[in-house]
Amino acid sequence: MSLHGKNFIGNILSSNGDKSSKIYDIHSNESLEGVFYHATKEEVDEALEKANLAFFEYKEKTQAQRAEFLETIADEIINLGDELIVRTIAESNLPRPRIEGERGRTVGQLRMFANLLKEGSWVEATIDEALPDRKPLPRNDLRKMLRPIGVVSVFEASNFPLAFACAGGDTASALAAGCPVIVKAHSSHSGTSELIATAIIEAVKKCNMPDGTFSMVHGEGRTVGQQIVLHEVVKAVGFTGSTQGGMKLFELANQRKTPIPVFAEMGSINPCLFLPTALKDTKNMAELYASSITVGVGQFCTNPGLILLVKDENSDAFKSELAKSIENISPTTMLSSGIQQAFEKSKTDALSQDDIELLGESKLKNTRAEGRPTVAYVTAKTFISNPKLHEEVFGPYSLVVECESKDELDLVIESLEGQLTATVMGEESDMHEFKKQIFSLENRCGRILFNGVPTGVEVCHSMQHGGPFPAATDSRFTSVGTGAIRRFVRPVCFQDCPNSLLPEELKDENPLEILRIVNDKYTRERI
């Protein structure tokens, strides 16, 4: 398929603007195929107006129809074949197994949401029948369920060109909820975005979804992105990226005449607490965490950027083994030269702070755009007093913080901002002894792990990928798993509505046979 570089204004391709961009190979600096046209203000407005019109038809599609649509998108992505894999590898510098796995995750979560819709109970239907004879006052017939919120804007992530991008979790959950989507393509993988958008539009046509159910536009965040967020038809935003980028969107959304929610997953240093029993296994623990720090060149939002321990007879040995392991890991190419430069700058800034010690750095070859694995060390006192050391270094970097006592560990944990994850390493007997500290970590994260590494996020019903600010703008929601659908719905109550006008989920006969709360009891029975 030849790349055209145009914007997807609903089902129509458009390239009316005079500004465009290309993508360059990070190794050779040669341009990849495709010239990508930035959307004009008029094109963005047209896409949003189409989405708004599509909403009133799309939200009334049955759950079964939306499920078929999601499954068709998944099929069309697979039908892109190796062309998608090759292009994504070229744009992201990620290896084939990673991209193939990410494609599997992308189509898998589309089908997961389709299954959620087929079952149908996720809408939380509740019914309280009328009590006309109740004293002293009668009760009206009240029926409530979750309904789609409206047009959703999705901003693609840089580090997951498929799973957190055009047809990623934000798009999949919004479409599942009944919301049209407009995607702002990431400038680093415009070709990948075009291929995926082509697959989605093909599914729109095959499933007879309204024109405007999906749009995708190219352009700069300062222009196209801001225009989208400030447009009154947009009712929610999905974002995965830096704290700076997420907060800019959040601030814009709250400047509107009608403020809207921004579901931004942002920075996290993912503290890992090593209890005394974990430190005894120094070599294995060091190798395990060196691998986790550097997997994917440290470009995971769940990268273990902070290791906490209480000083004992094994702590020095652990630090030494971790340094050795890091020194023997080869630097590898990062997602882009821009990300590599940002990594080097933030790492240099961190290492220039007072009383920080470089523990270990890869001694192997480092070339253009490669991230050199690095670990550093500070005392708890230094860490607590210097907020700069609490900032994320996006790449293969981690900071060891050594505490003199459990009381000092309490102070370190209390100083932490919100995180996506927190990890506890050690035997169960130790965990009981450090129960207070573990509960304190729980209050600062969305997912707490025991005896594992935080890198990697399972896409399933039980996953929570989000956390207290600044890990996310709203800790009540997840961006991964079926719970992500709840970001793009709102509860609506129907009072004394004629049965024939009710959504199927609330009708007396319960045609979908979903689980509902009827007069205080869970049931699948009809009324």
Side-chain angles (χ1 to χ4, degrees), residues 121 123-127 144-145 505-506 514-517:
S121 299
V123 297
E124 299 178 5
T126 58
I127 299 173
K144 184 176 72 171
M145 65 176 288
E505 292 86 350
L506 295 177
I514 62 173
L515 186 64
R516 310 187 295 187
I517 299 177

Side-chain angles (χ1 to χ4, degrees), residues 267-271 416-421 443-446 467-472:
S268 182
I269 55 176
N270 307 297
L416 294 174
E417 295 182 313
Q419 308 291 331
L420 292 172
T421 72
N443 291 333
R444 286 161 176 78
C445 71
F469 184 85

Side-chain angles (χ1 to χ4, degrees), residues 5 7 14-22 36-40 43 187 217-220 223-224:
N7 300 284
S14 182
S15 55
N16 296 335
D18 56 6
K19 190 170 185 179
S20 63
S21 56
K22 295 180 68 68
F36 302 95
Y37 298 92
H38 295 197
T40 64
E43 286 172 322
S187 58
V217 295
H218 301 286
E220 297 177 353
T223 53
V224 172

Side-chain angles (χ1 to χ4, degrees), residues 133-358:
D133 298 325
R134 190 181 67 174
K135 304 297 183 183
L137 294 172
R139 183 175 77 189
N140 299 94
D141 185 272
L142 300 168
R143 306 185 183 211
K144 184 176 72 171
M145 65 176 288
L146 299 176
R147 296 285 281 167
I149 197 170
V151 178
V152 172
S153 169
V154 171
F155 287 76
E156 294 188 333
S158 63
N159 57 338
F160 281 86
L162 295 175
F164 277 91
C166 199
D170 288 342
T171 298
S173 54
L175 291 175
C179 299
V181 170
I182 178 168
V183 169
K184 162 62 178 67
H186 196 283
S187 58
S188 294
H189 40 78
S190 304
T192 298
S193 300
E194 178 178 318
L195 292 171
I196 295 293
T198 300
I200 298 174
I201 293 299
E202 185 64 24
V204 167
K205 295 175 180 178
K206 284 186 175 181
C207 296
N208 296 314
M209 294 299 166
D211 183 10
T213 299
F214 176 84
S215 292
M216 189 273 286
V217 295
H218 301 286
E220 297 177 353
R222 290 187 299 273
T223 53
V224 172
Q226 289 189 26
Q227 182 186 348
I228 293 172
V229 174
L230 291 173
H231 202 292
E232 282 298 312
V233 305
V234 174
K235 302 305 179 187
V237 174
F239 171 86
T240 299
S242 68
T243 301
Q244 181 182 8
M247 287 307 299
K248 180 62 177 177
L249 296 179
F250 183 79
E251 291 164 2
L252 283 171
N254 283 283
Q255 293 171 11
R256 292 169 32 133
K257 177 182 177 182
T258 307
I260 57 172
V262 173
F263 299 105
E265 183 238 293
M266 303 184 289
S268 182
I269 55 176
N270 307 297
C272 302
L273 172 59
F274 278 65
L275 302 180
T277 48
L279 291 177
K280 292 179 180 179
D281 192 10
T282 55
K283 185 174 177 58
N284 287 334
M285 287 295 102
E287 290 177 351
L288 175 67
Y289 267 78
S291 176
S292 180
I293 291 164
T294 58
V295 66
V297 207
Q299 297 167 124
F300 289 115
C301 50
T302 52
N303 189 58
L306 190 68
I307 295 175
L308 309 178
L309 51 88
V310 177
K311 187 174 183 179
D312 67 5
E313 67 275 12
N314 298 306
S315 53
D316 285 344
F318 171 76
K319 289 184 291 183
S320 176
E321 288 293 340
L322 180 62
K324 289 178 185 176
S325 296
I326 287 290
E327 289 168 356
N328 291 320
I329 296 177
S330 298
T332 48
T333 305
M334 300 191 78
L335 289 160
S336 68
S337 57
I339 288 177
Q340 191 268 344
Q341 291 164 11
F343 167 64
E344 291 297 335
K345 182 182 185 305
S346 57
K347 183 177 73 170
T348 300
D349 287 347
L351 293 175
S352 68
Q353 301 302 303
D354 291 340
D355 300 319
I356 189 169
E357 175 187 339
L358 177 65

Side-chain angles (χ1 to χ4, degrees), residues 78 99-109 162:
I78 294 298
I99 295 303
E100 289 178 343
E102 198 175 319
R103 178 181 61 181
R105 171 176 170 172
T106 303
V107 300
Q109 63 192 7
L162 295 175

Side-chain angles (χ1 to χ4, degrees), residues 390-406:
H390 296 228
E391 296 178 5
E392 180 185 28
V393 177
F394 187 70
Y397 171 90
S398 190
L399 177 66
V400 177
V401 177
E402 189 173 57
C403 306
E404 293 291 336
S405 65
K406 289 170 66 176

